[in-house]
Amino acid sequence: MSGQRHPLDWGAIAAAALRLSGWLAVNTLAAAGIVALVFFAIGSFSLPLTMAQLANLADRYVAASSARQGQFNHIIAYAFALAFVAVAFFRRASFTRALGVSDHE
């Protein structure tokens, strides 16, 4: 019995890590875009109205108690997480390719 160890292929590990980080970055940006689109829809798809709605929201956020601010923070965090999971679900095939074996072998 030989105690031969196989060395790690650092190039393949780095390539998989880069593919995975790219996949995560695209999902994160897409989820942020979905949240931004919701805010844009609240402003009737008009930039001046969206900015007015965001200013109103900011004024009310600052005036709210810390408990209400925490509730709002949770709502935004849940909305972002839901958007991220939805985008990840639809991009799951590219995730399996990102973790798959490289074609360059």
Side-chain angles (χ1 to χ4, degrees), residues 22 30 34 45 49 55 59 65 68-69 87 90 100:
I34 290 170
F45 298 102
L49 289 176
D59 289 340
S65 67
R68 299 286 280 174
Q69 287 178 359
V87 171
F90 289 113

Side-chain angles (χ1 to χ4, degrees), residues 20-61:
L20 183 60
S21 64
W23 185 83
L24 287 170
V26 169
N27 285 355
T28 302
L29 289 173
I34 290 170
V35 172
L37 184 65
V38 168
F39 281 120
F40 197 54
I42 290 172
S44 300
F45 298 102
S46 167
L47 190 58
L49 289 176
T50 300
M51 292 300 144
Q53 290 291 341
L54 288 176
N56 182 29
L57 180 67
D59 289 340
R60 290 176 182 268
Y61 181 83

Side-chain angles (χ1 to χ4, degrees), residues 70-90:
Q71 288 175 344
F72 181 75
N73 293 342
H74 282 17
I75 290 170
I76 295 297
Y78 290 144
F80 183 80
L82 180 67
F84 184 87
V85 167
V87 171
F89 174 76
F90 289 113

